[in-house]
Amino acid sequence: MRRLTVLFDPECGLCAHLKGWLERQPKLVPMDLVPVGSAQARTLFPDLDHAATLRKITVIGDRGQVYTDDAAFLVCLWALADHRAKAHWLAGPSGIAFARAAVIAAAKYREVTGATQRWLDEVPGRAGPPPPAPCDDRCAPPH
């Protein structure tokens, strides 16, 4: 893997904080940080389910690999020079429960508001019920 794209919600305080933290870290694998649901994200990844990226942490590898939830968290750590060993530990039997708990805790703070809500409102042909309430399916443990 030579490059990752991390989709982040610029309207989420936690996402903005983590974006800044990722930008400051020495990397073994370069990362592009792209606003979730943006025109740039839709242009770069036309086949991606962009509505799902609003609910799940999503990272895309340079060969089209899509990582979500705890796998997205782990691949980001793996790409960082100072955190690759932690990523390997967290991916193992002892650490995976901790990694999942961290992702679930982070998901609790993401809400469908601001830019994310505006993007949902502008999706062509979008009909039906309103977007899910904050912390709807995003707080459930990954399957």
Side-chain angles (χ1 to χ4, degrees):
M1 185 172 324
R2 296 175 187 257
R3 187 166 214 86
L4 291 172
T5 301
V6 178
L7 300 180
F8 75 97
D9 184 348
E11 299 295 322
C12 168
L14 179 61
C15 293
H17 173 76
L18 290 174
K19 174 188 178 278
W21 182 80
L22 284 171
E23 288 173 331
R24 292 187 303 275
Q25 299 305 305
K27 294 168 191 65
L28 298 170
V29 178
M31 292 181 188
D32 298 314
L33 295 126
V34 175
V36 67
S38 66
Q40 180 184 11
R42 287 180 272 147
T43 299
L44 289 170
F45 309 106
D47 297 329
L48 189 63
D49 179 354
H50 290 278
T53 67
L54 298 170
R55 294 183 307 275
K56 294 184 175 206
I57 299 167
T58 306
V59 177
I60 300 101
D62 58 351
R63 293 186 179 169
Q65 316 92 307
V66 177
Y67 303 93
T68 60
D69 297 322
D70 50 327
F73 171 70
L74 291 173
V75 78
C76 283
L77 285 180
W78 175 84
L80 302 175
D82 296 338
H83 299 284
R84 185 165 277 185
K86 254 183 240 130
H88 286 290
W89 179 81
L90 287 168
S94 301
I96 197 66
F98 178 80
R100 286 191 178 135
V103 169
I104 290 166
K108 286 176 69 172
Y109 293 98
R110 291 189 69 202
E111 295 182 9
V112 180
T113 58
T116 302
Q117 180 63 54
R118 286 191 299 279
W119 181 82
L120 280 173
D121 292 342
E122 295 171 5
V123 172
R126 186 173 183 282
C135 207
D136 193 1
D137 64 342
R138 293 174 281 138
C139 294
H143 303 294

